[in-house]
Amino acid sequence: MVCLGEEEAKPHFVLVPLVAQGHMIPMVDMARLLAEHGARVSLITTPVNAARIQPIIDRVSRSNLPIRFVELRFPCKEIGIPDGCENVDLLTDQETFKPFFDAMSSFQSPLEDYILAQDPNPTCIISDGCNPWTMEVARKLGIPRFVFHGPSCFYVLCDYNIMRHNLYKLIVDQLEPFLVPDLPVRVEVNKLQAPGFFNQSGWEKLCDDCIEAEKTADAILINTFDDLEHPFIEQYAKSLGKKVWPIGPLCLYNKDVDSKATRGNIAAIDQHRVITWLDTKEANSVIYVSFGSLARHQPLQIIEIGSGLEASKKPFIWVIKEAEMVPEVEKWIKEEFEEKTKERGLIVKGWSPQLAILSHAAVGGLVTHCGWNSMLESISNGVPLVTWPHFADQFLNEKLVVDVLRVGVSLGVKSPCYFTGVDSSTAEVVKSEDIEEAVSRLMDGGEEGRERRERAKEFGEKAKKAMEEGGSSYVNMNEMIQFVMEQSGKQGCLLNGSVDFLA
Ligand code: UDP
């Protein structure tokens, strides 16, 4: 048997993320992991999104990893949004969301042209679960297609079971509590907390297409690991009747500070300044407060968060988005808040080098909006969490982390707050006392707090093991590559942990 080493013999994956930070960031990590496992990768992106990750593109090119970043034009003009609005986090008007999501399918024809121009043919498309239009591309060109789900497997399974039992349609009252059917654990929610993706009026076609895309996919990839979500992964695979590979935590691809600090966008603060600041703090003493890339708060809420942090007396790093930095907030920070907390607080105004912060030994807690990437980044680094879900999958992610994994303290928020900040004016305001109490419980918390931290550290260790050579996610990635090669009619053999292929 002769194992070929030629570039052409490598499997070629075409990655098609949704252009939203929580979906692109893990796919960019996945691209580099696949390349290190012996594959070639094309990652579909747009000019603005590519510019945001230029440091990664430069690093990939210096290291000769076989990854091509393919920039397709996003039709901003055609859908009436400002030029350059190429990522969900740049949208400011709720009305533009639907046209934005629909516009993703305009990639279909240029993607087909790109794939047809490759010689040999790409081996597999890995498409975000929110990009069902890739179904048609894969079918037309006869290429296997995997769906990548960004949220926790727990969420994906809950959503699947709720949908399968038709509860999104049967339950009319948004506040009526119901049990998620067929789960190995008892989970009670209402429709406000578990709305599903795209389950609103006007979005029916996209919603149906996503279900069909999952049903017809050749396999499913999830950013999680077996030791974290085993019962849910097993049950989801059984229900779908197809392979479900947990291949995460993908964030652990990033080993050095620079690589951890340059994900998703150019940071608003120099990572070395943050690290130097953290170096002066005791282990597990700092609380990091961040609400992901989308959730935005009104000034009143921002002031409550700041007051809670001030009252907690803990050292903190707090991320306030550019869009939230309105004159009222600037003034309050400058004239009141900064003076009182400057000895122990750092505010990041804009994009934060989050993973570099969460992996520093001084960080002992995260206040989070419960986006799955942030939660996984925290857990992989052994950091327990205060949970404050805002929308989409986040209330169910909270249940997993607080009730099942028991590494989180819930702030007790019961209803959603949407992300453009427009609807958040009507959302319940979380009070500073509640924030202070939850932060204190997490960071001090006596025996209960010690045990919670211990569990988080254990998951952190298991996460690292999963990604090491021979670990469960590492093995899954190789198995997945092998599966693809078999599907595409070739045979593979594993060599030195990476995959080389037989003629
Ligand atoms: N993130 C970051 N800096 C920020 C805000 C977010 O690096 O200032 C990253 C974060 O590390 C995570 C992603 O953006 O990888 C956010 O994804 P998540 O699923 O947590 O939330 P979403 O933004 O999708 O609501």
Side-chain angles (χ1 to χ4, degrees), residues 441-486:
R441 243 182 93 195
L442 187 83
M443 301 298 276
D444 306 326
E447 188 56 15
E448 184 199 315
R450 198 191 54 72
E451 284 175 13
R452 188 183 303 109
R453 185 170 303 286
E454 205 50 45
R455 277 192 292 276
K457 298 271 177 228
E458 275 169 28
F459 279 127
E461 290 309 313
K462 287 178 177 166
K464 290 187 180 82
K465 284 223 169 71
M467 294 299 280
E468 279 166 10
E469 193 172 338
S472 60
S473 292
Y474 184 97
V475 168
N476 285 341
M477 178 134 324
N478 277 347
E479 205 181 283
M480 179 269 275
I481 296 174
Q482 193 86 21
F483 176 90
V484 164
M485 292 306 286
E486 278 159 19

mmCIF file of all heavy atoms in Angstrom, residues 441-486:
data_model
loop_
_atom_site.group_PDB
_atom_site.id
_atom_site.type_symbol
_atom_site.label_atom_id
_atom_site.label_comp_id
_atom_site.label_asym_id
_atom_site.label_seq_id
_atom_site.Cartn_x
_atom_site.Cartn_y
_atom_site.Cartn_z
ATOM 1 N N ARG A 441 -21.446 35.142 45.196
ATOM 2 C CA ARG A 441 -21.672 33.692 45.365
ATOM 3 C C ARG A 441 -20.686 32.895 44.537
ATOM 4 O O ARG A 441 -20.157 31.878 44.964
ATOM 5 C CB ARG A 441 -23.095 33.342 44.895
ATOM 6 C CG ARG A 441 -23.967 32.807 46.017
ATOM 7 C CD ARG A 441 -25.329 32.437 45.471
ATOM 8 N NE ARG A 441 -25.379 31.048 45.086
ATOM 9 C CZ ARG A 441 -26.337 30.526 44.314
ATOM 10 N NH1 ARG A 441 -27.293 31.292 43.841
ATOM 11 N NH2 ARG A 441 -26.334 29.259 44.028
ATOM 12 N N LEU A 442 -20.433 33.386 43.309
ATOM 13 C CA LEU A 442 -19.524 32.652 42.426
ATOM 14 C C LEU A 442 -18.085 32.732 42.928
ATOM 15 O O LEU A 442 -17.375 31.727 42.973
ATOM 16 C CB LEU A 442 -19.581 33.230 41.005
ATOM 17 C CG LEU A 442 -18.798 32.422 39.981
ATOM 18 C CD1 LEU A 442 -19.644 31.256 39.473
ATOM 19 C CD2 LEU A 442 -18.365 33.270 38.794
ATOM 20 N N MET A 443 -17.662 33.926 43.314
ATOM 21 C CA MET A 443 -16.247 34.135 43.606
ATOM 22 C C MET A 443 -15.884 33.730 45.037
ATOM 23 O O MET A 443 -14.759 33.318 45.296
ATOM 24 C CB MET A 443 -15.869 35.604 43.370
ATOM 25 C CG MET A 443 -16.128 36.075 41.956
ATOM 26 S SD MET A 443 -15.179 35.181 40.710
ATOM 27 C CE MET A 443 -13.631 36.065 40.760
ATOM 28 N N ASP A 444 -16.830 33.880 45.981
ATOM 29 C CA ASP A 444 -16.559 33.453 47.362
ATOM 30 C C ASP A 444 -17.280 32.119 47.545
ATOM 31 O O ASP A 444 -16.702 31.079 47.351
ATOM 32 C CB ASP A 444 -17.040 34.502 48.364
ATOM 33 C CG ASP A 444 -16.442 35.877 48.052
ATOM 34 O OD1 ASP A 444 -15.291 35.907 47.582
ATOM 35 O OD2 ASP A 444 -17.131 36.892 48.235
ATOM 36 N N GLY A 445 -18.531 32.212 47.922
ATOM 37 C CA GLY A 445 -19.409 31.040 47.862
ATOM 38 C C GLY A 445 -19.096 29.879 48.782
ATOM 39 O O GLY A 445 -19.710 28.823 48.650
ATOM 40 N N GLY A 446 -18.140 29.985 49.723
ATOM 41 C CA GLY A 446 -17.881 28.927 50.709
ATOM 42 C C GLY A 446 -17.655 27.574 50.067
ATOM 43 O O GLY A 446 -17.103 27.466 48.963
ATOM 44 N N GLU A 447 -18.142 26.540 50.763
ATOM 45 C CA GLU A 447 -17.947 25.168 50.319
ATOM 46 C C GLU A 447 -18.597 24.926 48.941
ATOM 47 O O GLU A 447 -18.001 24.302 48.058
ATOM 48 C CB GLU A 447 -18.581 24.241 51.392
ATOM 49 C CG GLU A 447 -18.337 22.767 51.216
ATOM 50 C CD GLU A 447 -16.855 22.382 51.145
ATOM 51 O OE1 GLU A 447 -15.974 23.205 51.502
ATOM 52 O OE2 GLU A 447 -16.581 21.264 50.681
ATOM 53 N N GLU A 448 -19.816 25.463 48.814
ATOM 54 C CA GLU A 448 -20.534 25.291 47.545
ATOM 55 C C GLU A 448 -19.724 25.901 46.386
ATOM 56 O O GLU A 448 -19.576 25.310 45.320
ATOM 57 C CB GLU A 448 -21.884 26.000 47.676
ATOM 58 C CG GLU A 448 -22.794 25.839 46.482
ATOM 59 C CD GLU A 448 -23.884 26.909 46.449
ATOM 60 O OE1 GLU A 448 -24.502 27.177 47.494
ATOM 61 O OE2 GLU A 448 -24.104 27.491 45.371
ATOM 62 N N GLY A 449 -19.176 27.097 46.629
ATOM 63 C CA GLY A 449 -18.390 27.790 45.605
ATOM 64 C C GLY A 449 -17.106 27.033 45.298
ATOM 65 O O GLY A 449 -16.689 26.946 44.134
ATOM 66 N N ARG A 450 -16.489 26.489 46.344
ATOM 67 C CA ARG A 450 -15.239 25.743 46.156
ATOM 68 C C ARG A 450 -15.500 24.503 45.277
ATOM 69 O O ARG A 450 -14.758 24.208 44.355
ATOM 70 C CB ARG A 450 -14.677 25.335 47.525
ATOM 71 C CG ARG A 450 -13.205 24.936 47.507
ATOM 72 C CD ARG A 450 -12.762 24.288 48.804
ATOM 73 N NE ARG A 450 -13.578 23.147 49.193
ATOM 74 C CZ ARG A 450 -13.555 21.956 48.586
ATOM 75 N NH1 ARG A 450 -12.747 21.744 47.580
ATOM 76 N NH2 ARG A 450 -14.343 20.980 48.999
ATOM 77 N N GLU A 451 -16.605 23.824 45.585
ATOM 78 C CA GLU A 451 -16.932 22.613 44.806
ATOM 79 C C GLU A 451 -17.260 22.963 43.349
ATOM 80 O O GLU A 451 -16.887 22.242 42.432
ATOM 81 C CB GLU A 451 -18.133 21.889 45.435
ATOM 82 C CG GLU A 451 -17.727 21.133 46.683
ATOM 83 C CD GLU A 451 -18.922 20.510 47.408
ATOM 84 O OE1 GLU A 451 -20.035 20.450 46.839
ATOM 85 O OE2 GLU A 451 -18.713 20.113 48.563
ATOM 86 N N ARG A 452 -17.947 24.083 43.172
ATOM 87 C CA ARG A 452 -18.293 24.507 41.815
ATOM 88 C C ARG A 452 -17.014 24.775 41.016
ATOM 89 O O ARG A 452 -16.855 24.348 39.872
ATOM 90 C CB ARG A 452 -19.164 25.770 41.881
ATOM 91 C CG ARG A 452 -19.732 26.181 40.551
ATOM 92 C CD ARG A 452 -20.516 27.468 40.614
ATOM 93 N NE ARG A 452 -21.601 27.442 41.550
ATOM 94 C CZ ARG A 452 -21.640 28.116 42.711
ATOM 95 N NH1 ARG A 452 -20.636 28.901 43.061
ATOM 96 N NH2 ARG A 452 -22.672 28.036 43.514
ATOM 97 N N ARG A 453 -16.091 25.495 41.632
ATOM 98 C CA ARG A 453 -14.819 25.816 40.972
ATOM 99 C C ARG A 453 -14.041 24.535 40.657
ATOM 100 O O ARG A 453 -13.448 24.383 39.587
ATOM 101 C CB ARG A 453 -13.997 26.747 41.871
ATOM 102 C CG ARG A 453 -12.717 27.254 41.238
ATOM 103 C CD ARG A 453 -12.063 28.354 42.062
ATOM 104 N NE ARG A 453 -12.935 29.491 42.304
ATOM 105 C CZ ARG A 453 -13.257 30.411 41.394
ATOM 106 N NH1 ARG A 453 -12.745 30.325 40.183
ATOM 107 N NH2 ARG A 453 -14.077 31.393 41.679
ATOM 108 N N GLU A 454 -14.079 23.624 41.613
ATOM 109 C CA GLU A 454 -13.399 22.333 41.441
ATOM 110 C C GLU A 454 -13.954 21.596 40.205
ATOM 111 O O GLU A 454 -13.202 21.084 39.376
ATOM 112 C CB GLU A 454 -13.675 21.506 42.722
ATOM 113 C CG GLU A 454 -12.682 20.426 43.069
ATOM 114 C CD GLU A 454 -11.246 20.923 43.052
ATOM 115 O OE1 GLU A 454 -10.938 22.025 43.584
ATOM 116 O OE2 GLU A 454 -10.454 20.210 42.466
ATOM 117 N N ARG A 455 -15.299 21.576 40.108
ATOM 118 C CA ARG A 455 -15.923 20.900 38.958
ATOM 119 C C ARG A 455 -15.521 21.590 37.647
ATOM 120 O O ARG A 455 -15.209 20.928 36.654
ATOM 121 C CB ARG A 455 -17.460 20.938 39.089
ATOM 122 C CG ARG A 455 -18.042 19.855 39.978
ATOM 123 C CD ARG A 455 -19.557 19.779 39.829
ATOM 124 N NE ARG A 455 -20.243 20.946 40.359
ATOM 125 C CZ ARG A 455 -20.579 21.111 41.645
ATOM 126 N NH1 ARG A 455 -20.293 20.179 42.516
ATOM 127 N NH2 ARG A 455 -21.194 22.209 42.042
ATOM 128 N N ALA A 456 -15.501 22.930 37.674
ATOM 129 C CA ALA A 456 -15.120 23.663 36.458
ATOM 130 C C ALA A 456 -13.678 23.300 36.072
ATOM 131 O O ALA A 456 -13.370 23.074 34.897
ATOM 132 C CB ALA A 456 -15.257 25.167 36.678
ATOM 133 N N LYS A 457 -12.799 23.224 37.075
ATOM 134 C CA LYS A 457 -11.384 22.888 36.780
ATOM 135 C C LYS A 457 -11.297 21.482 36.180
ATOM 136 O O LYS A 457 -10.517 21.235 35.268
ATOM 137 C CB LYS A 457 -10.526 22.948 38.053
ATOM 138 C CG LYS A 457 -10.470 24.335 38.696
ATOM 139 C CD LYS A 457 -9.322 25.189 38.154
ATOM 140 C CE LYS A 457 -9.349 26.582 38.757
ATOM 141 N NZ LYS A 457 -9.228 27.689 37.834
ATOM 142 N N GLU A 458 -12.106 20.566 36.731
ATOM 143 C CA GLU A 458 -12.074 19.188 36.194
ATOM 144 C C GLU A 458 -12.521 19.156 34.733
ATOM 145 O O GLU A 458 -11.909 18.493 33.905
ATOM 146 C CB GLU A 458 -12.991 18.272 37.018
ATOM 147 C CG GLU A 458 -12.307 17.709 38.245
ATOM 148 C CD GLU A 458 -13.288 17.029 39.189
ATOM 149 O OE1 GLU A 458 -14.325 16.516 38.735
ATOM 150 O OE2 GLU A 458 -13.004 17.046 40.413
ATOM 151 N N PHE A 459 -13.584 19.908 34.418
ATOM 152 C CA PHE A 459 -14.020 19.958 33.020
ATOM 153 C C PHE A 459 -12.932 20.585 32.144
ATOM 154 O O PHE A 459 -12.727 20.180 30.995
ATOM 155 C CB PHE A 459 -15.327 20.747 32.872
ATOM 156 C CG PHE A 459 -16.550 19.936 33.222
ATOM 157 C CD1 PHE A 459 -17.469 20.409 34.149
ATOM 158 C CD2 PHE A 459 -16.785 18.711 32.616
ATOM 159 C CE1 PHE A 459 -18.603 19.669 34.475
ATOM 160 C CE2 PHE A 459 -17.920 17.959 32.941
ATOM 161 C CZ PHE A 459 -18.823 18.445 33.870
ATOM 162 N N GLY A 460 -12.244 21.591 32.696
ATOM 163 C CA GLY A 460 -11.153 22.230 31.949
ATOM 164 C C GLY A 460 -10.080 21.208 31.594
ATOM 165 O O GLY A 460 -9.602 21.159 30.452
ATOM 166 N N GLU A 461 -9.721 20.372 32.554
ATOM 167 C CA GLU A 461 -8.715 19.325 32.304
ATOM 168 C C GLU A 461 -9.215 18.349 31.241
ATOM 169 O O GLU A 461 -8.487 17.971 30.325
ATOM 170 C CB GLU A 461 -8.422 18.532 33.600
ATOM 171 C CG GLU A 461 -7.660 19.319 34.670
ATOM 172 C CD GLU A 461 -6.410 19.973 34.097
ATOM 173 O OE1 GLU A 461 -5.668 19.275 33.386
ATOM 174 O OE2 GLU A 461 -6.208 21.185 34.329
ATOM 175 N N LYS A 462 -10.481 17.937 31.395
ATOM 176 C CA LYS A 462 -11.044 16.964 30.441
ATOM 177 C C LYS A 462 -11.120 17.561 29.024
ATOM 178 O O LYS A 462 -10.924 16.859 28.037
ATOM 179 C CB LYS A 462 -12.436 16.523 30.896
ATOM 180 C CG LYS A 462 -12.378 15.595 32.109
ATOM 181 C CD LYS A 462 -13.759 15.213 32.584
ATOM 182 C CE LYS A 462 -13.662 14.237 33.748
ATOM 183 N NZ LYS A 462 -14.923 14.073 34.462
ATOM 184 N N ALA A 463 -11.423 18.858 28.964
ATOM 185 C CA ALA A 463 -11.503 19.527 27.655
ATOM 186 C C ALA A 463 -10.144 19.453 26.969
ATOM 187 O O ALA A 463 -10.051 19.126 25.775
ATOM 188 C CB ALA A 463 -11.917 20.982 27.846
ATOM 189 N N LYS A 464 -9.098 19.738 27.731
ATOM 190 C CA LYS A 464 -7.748 19.738 27.133
ATOM 191 C C LYS A 464 -7.394 18.334 26.675
ATOM 192 O O LYS A 464 -6.859 18.139 25.589
ATOM 193 C CB LYS A 464 -6.733 20.289 28.132
ATOM 194 C CG LYS A 464 -6.961 21.776 28.319
ATOM 195 C CD LYS A 464 -5.935 22.488 29.158
ATOM 196 C CE LYS A 464 -6.305 23.967 29.260
ATOM 197 N NZ LYS A 464 -7.315 24.294 30.268
ATOM 198 N N LYS A 465 -7.733 17.349 27.503
ATOM 199 C CA LYS A 465 -7.442 15.942 27.132
ATOM 200 C C LYS A 465 -8.174 15.564 25.844
ATOM 201 O O LYS A 465 -7.643 14.871 24.989
ATOM 202 C CB LYS A 465 -7.903 14.997 28.253
ATOM 203 C CG LYS A 465 -6.986 15.000 29.443
ATOM 204 C CD LYS A 465 -6.746 13.561 29.941
ATOM 205 C CE LYS A 465 -5.629 13.526 30.948
ATOM 206 N NZ LYS A 465 -6.024 14.133 32.243
ATOM 207 N N ALA A 466 -9.434 16.030 25.725
ATOM 208 C CA ALA A 466 -10.234 15.675 24.540
ATOM 209 C C ALA A 466 -9.552 16.145 23.253
ATOM 210 O O ALA A 466 -9.649 15.492 22.216
ATOM 211 C CB ALA A 466 -11.624 16.291 24.644
ATOM 212 N N MET A 467 -8.849 17.277 23.332
ATOM 213 C CA MET A 467 -8.252 17.847 22.124
ATOM 214 C C MET A 467 -6.818 17.379 21.874
ATOM 215 O O MET A 467 -6.267 17.612 20.801
ATOM 216 C CB MET A 467 -8.279 19.387 22.216
ATOM 217 C CG MET A 467 -9.664 19.986 22.191
ATOM 218 S SD MET A 467 -10.563 19.606 20.680
ATOM 219 C CE MET A 467 -9.861 20.790 19.554
ATOM 220 N N GLU A 468 -6.226 16.741 22.892
ATOM 221 C CA GLU A 468 -4.847 16.254 22.701
ATOM 222 C C GLU A 468 -4.844 15.026 21.806
ATOM 223 O O GLU A 468 -5.859 14.343 21.684
ATOM 224 C CB GLU A 468 -4.253 15.839 24.063
ATOM 225 C CG GLU A 468 -3.731 16.992 24.869
ATOM 226 C CD GLU A 468 -3.471 16.586 26.318
ATOM 227 O OE1 GLU A 468 -3.511 15.379 26.640
ATOM 228 O OE2 GLU A 468 -3.251 17.503 27.128
ATOM 229 N N GLU A 469 -3.665 14.723 21.248
ATOM 230 C CA GLU A 469 -3.539 13.528 20.414
ATOM 231 C C GLU A 469 -4.071 12.313 21.183
ATOM 232 O O GLU A 469 -3.684 12.097 22.336
ATOM 233 C CB GLU A 469 -2.072 13.317 20.037
ATOM 234 C CG GLU A 469 -1.935 12.303 18.953
ATOM 235 C CD GLU A 469 -0.509 12.204 18.422
ATOM 236 O OE1 GLU A 469 0.263 13.169 18.573
ATOM 237 O OE2 GLU A 469 -0.199 11.129 17.885
ATOM 238 N N GLY A 470 -4.980 11.587 20.584
ATOM 239 C CA GLY A 470 -5.548 10.409 21.239
ATOM 240 C C GLY A 470 -6.799 10.726 22.049
ATOM 241 O O GLY A 470 -7.532 9.825 22.459
ATOM 242 N N GLY A 471 -7.078 12.001 22.299
ATOM 243 C CA GLY A 471 -8.280 12.403 23.040
ATOM 244 C C GLY A 471 -9.528 12.236 22.177
ATOM 245 O O GLY A 471 -9.439 12.092 20.946
ATOM 246 N N SER A 472 -10.719 12.271 22.827
ATOM 247 C CA SER A 472 -11.955 11.922 22.107
ATOM 248 C C SER A 472 -12.225 12.831 20.899
ATOM 249 O O SER A 472 -12.568 12.338 19.816
ATOM 250 C CB SER A 472 -13.140 11.947 23.075
ATOM 251 O OG SER A 472 -13.285 13.239 23.627
ATOM 252 N N SER A 473 -12.060 14.134 21.050
ATOM 253 C CA SER A 473 -12.370 15.026 19.924
ATOM 254 C C SER A 473 -11.317 14.906 18.821
ATOM 255 O O SER A 473 -11.633 15.026 17.631
ATOM 256 C CB SER A 473 -12.439 16.480 20.411
ATOM 257 O OG SER A 473 -13.560 16.642 21.254
ATOM 258 N N TYR A 474 -10.079 14.680 19.240
ATOM 259 C CA TYR A 474 -8.986 14.489 18.278
ATOM 260 C C TYR A 474 -9.264 13.252 17.417
ATOM 261 O O TYR A 474 -9.180 13.288 16.184
ATOM 262 C CB TYR A 474 -7.676 14.317 19.061
ATOM 263 C CG TYR A 474 -6.437 14.193 18.213
ATOM 264 C CD1 TYR A 474 -5.623 15.298 17.966
ATOM 265 C CD2 TYR A 474 -6.068 12.961 17.671
ATOM 266 C CE1 TYR A 474 -4.485 15.182 17.184
ATOM 267 C CE2 TYR A 474 -4.935 12.838 16.896
ATOM 268 C CZ TYR A 474 -4.144 13.950 16.657
ATOM 269 O OH TYR A 474 -3.017 13.826 15.890
ATOM 270 N N VAL A 475 -9.649 12.176 18.094
ATOM 271 C CA VAL A 475 -9.953 10.926 17.392
ATOM 272 C C VAL A 475 -11.174 11.125 16.491
ATOM 273 O O VAL A 475 -11.206 10.672 15.343
ATOM 274 C CB VAL A 475 -10.190 9.780 18.424
ATOM 275 C CG1 VAL A 475 -10.786 8.550 17.757
ATOM 276 C CG2 VAL A 475 -8.884 9.443 19.135
ATOM 277 N N ASN A 476 -12.184 11.841 17.003
ATOM 278 C CA ASN A 476 -13.378 12.092 16.186
ATOM 279 C C ASN A 476 -13.046 12.840 14.906
ATOM 280 O O ASN A 476 -13.612 12.576 13.847
ATOM 281 C CB ASN A 476 -14.403 12.912 16.978
ATOM 282 C CG ASN A 476 -15.114 12.064 18.009
ATOM 283 O OD1 ASN A 476 -15.113 10.843 17.912
ATOM 284 N ND2 ASN A 476 -15.706 12.701 19.002
ATOM 285 N N MET A 477 -12.129 13.797 15.020
ATOM 286 C CA MET A 477 -11.783 14.578 13.826
ATOM 287 C C MET A 477 -11.126 13.665 12.782
ATOM 288 O O MET A 477 -11.457 13.730 11.592
ATOM 289 C CB MET A 477 -10.900 15.755 14.191
ATOM 290 C CG MET A 477 -10.514 16.499 12.998
ATOM 291 S SD MET A 477 -10.566 18.255 12.852
ATOM 292 C CE MET A 477 -11.722 19.111 13.553
ATOM 293 N N ASN A 478 -10.234 12.805 13.234
ATOM 294 C CA ASN A 478 -9.609 11.866 12.288
ATOM 295 C C ASN A 478 -10.649 10.916 11.690
ATOM 296 O O ASN A 478 -10.638 10.647 10.496
ATOM 297 C CB ASN A 478 -8.516 11.051 12.990
ATOM 298 C CG ASN A 478 -7.200 11.810 13.052
ATOM 299 O OD1 ASN A 478 -7.037 12.827 12.377
ATOM 300 N ND2 ASN A 478 -6.282 11.330 13.858
ATOM 301 N N GLU A 479 -11.554 10.447 12.568
ATOM 302 C CA GLU A 479 -12.582 9.515 12.104
ATOM 303 C C GLU A 479 -13.473 10.184 11.054
ATOM 304 O O GLU A 479 -13.847 9.582 10.051
ATOM 305 C CB GLU A 479 -13.427 9.095 13.310
ATOM 306 C CG GLU A 479 -14.109 7.755 13.151
ATOM 307 C CD GLU A 479 -14.938 7.431 14.386
ATOM 308 O OE1 GLU A 479 -14.358 7.040 15.419
ATOM 309 O OE2 GLU A 479 -16.164 7.600 14.311
ATOM 310 N N MET A 480 -13.765 11.452 11.311
ATOM 311 C CA MET A 480 -14.632 12.201 10.402
ATOM 312 C C MET A 480 -13.941 12.372 9.039
ATOM 313 O O MET A 480 -14.565 12.191 7.987
ATOM 314 C CB MET A 480 -14.915 13.549 11.083
ATOM 315 C CG MET A 480 -15.766 14.492 10.342
ATOM 316 S SD MET A 480 -14.819 15.594 9.317
ATOM 317 C CE MET A 480 -14.404 16.879 10.453
ATOM 318 N N ILE A 481 -12.647 12.639 9.058
ATOM 319 C CA ILE A 481 -11.907 12.800 7.794
ATOM 320 C C ILE A 481 -11.887 11.467 7.031
ATOM 321 O O ILE A 481 -12.112 11.414 5.817
ATOM 322 C CB ILE A 481 -10.477 13.321 8.063
ATOM 323 C CG1 ILE A 481 -10.536 14.730 8.682
ATOM 324 C CG2 ILE A 481 -9.655 13.345 6.784
ATOM 325 C CD1 ILE A 481 -9.205 15.301 9.135
ATOM 326 N N GLN A 482 -11.661 10.410 7.790
ATOM 327 C CA GLN A 482 -11.653 9.066 7.198
ATOM 328 C C GLN A 482 -13.012 8.753 6.550
ATOM 329 O O GLN A 482 -13.082 8.250 5.434
ATOM 330 C CB GLN A 482 -11.365 8.058 8.325
ATOM 331 C CG GLN A 482 -11.027 6.673 7.853
ATOM 332 C CD GLN A 482 -9.541 6.530 7.538
ATOM 333 O OE1 GLN A 482 -8.724 7.304 8.010
ATOM 334 N NE2 GLN A 482 -9.214 5.561 6.734
ATOM 335 N N PHE A 483 -14.072 9.077 7.268
ATOM 336 C CA PHE A 483 -15.450 8.844 6.799
ATOM 337 C C PHE A 483 -15.681 9.557 5.461
ATOM 338 O O PHE A 483 -16.220 8.987 4.521
ATOM 339 C CB PHE A 483 -16.400 9.366 7.882
ATOM 340 C CG PHE A 483 -17.866 9.308 7.556
ATOM 341 C CD1 PHE A 483 -18.630 8.197 7.872
ATOM 342 C CD2 PHE A 483 -18.508 10.398 6.963
ATOM 343 C CE1 PHE A 483 -19.988 8.162 7.595
ATOM 344 C CE2 PHE A 483 -19.858 10.379 6.677
ATOM 345 C CZ PHE A 483 -20.610 9.250 7.006
ATOM 346 N N VAL A 484 -15.215 10.808 5.400
ATOM 347 C CA VAL A 484 -15.394 11.602 4.191
ATOM 348 C C VAL A 484 -14.656 10.963 3.026
ATOM 349 O O VAL A 484 -15.168 10.883 1.910
ATOM 350 C CB VAL A 484 -14.863 13.038 4.434
ATOM 351 C CG1 VAL A 484 -14.665 13.766 3.129
ATOM 352 C CG2 VAL A 484 -15.818 13.801 5.299
ATOM 353 N N MET A 485 -13.439 10.513 3.298
ATOM 354 C CA MET A 485 -12.664 9.898 2.227
ATOM 355 C C MET A 485 -13.345 8.632 1.726
ATOM 356 O O MET A 485 -13.357 8.355 0.537
ATOM 357 C CB MET A 485 -11.243 9.585 2.717
ATOM 358 C CG MET A 485 -10.421 10.824 2.993
ATOM 359 S SD MET A 485 -10.368 11.959 1.585
ATOM 360 C CE MET A 485 -9.273 11.106 0.468
ATOM 361 N N GLU A 486 -13.906 7.879 2.661
ATOM 362 C CA GLU A 486 -14.605 6.665 2.239
ATOM 363 C C GLU A 486 -15.831 7.019 1.404
ATOM 364 O O GLU A 486 -16.106 6.408 0.385
ATOM 365 C CB GLU A 486 -14.983 5.813 3.462
ATOM 366 C CG GLU A 486 -13.793 4.968 3.920
ATOM 367 C CD GLU A 486 -13.905 4.520 5.351
ATOM 368 O OE1 GLU A 486 -15.019 4.532 5.902
ATOM 369 O OE2 GLU A 486 -12.849 4.166 5.924
#
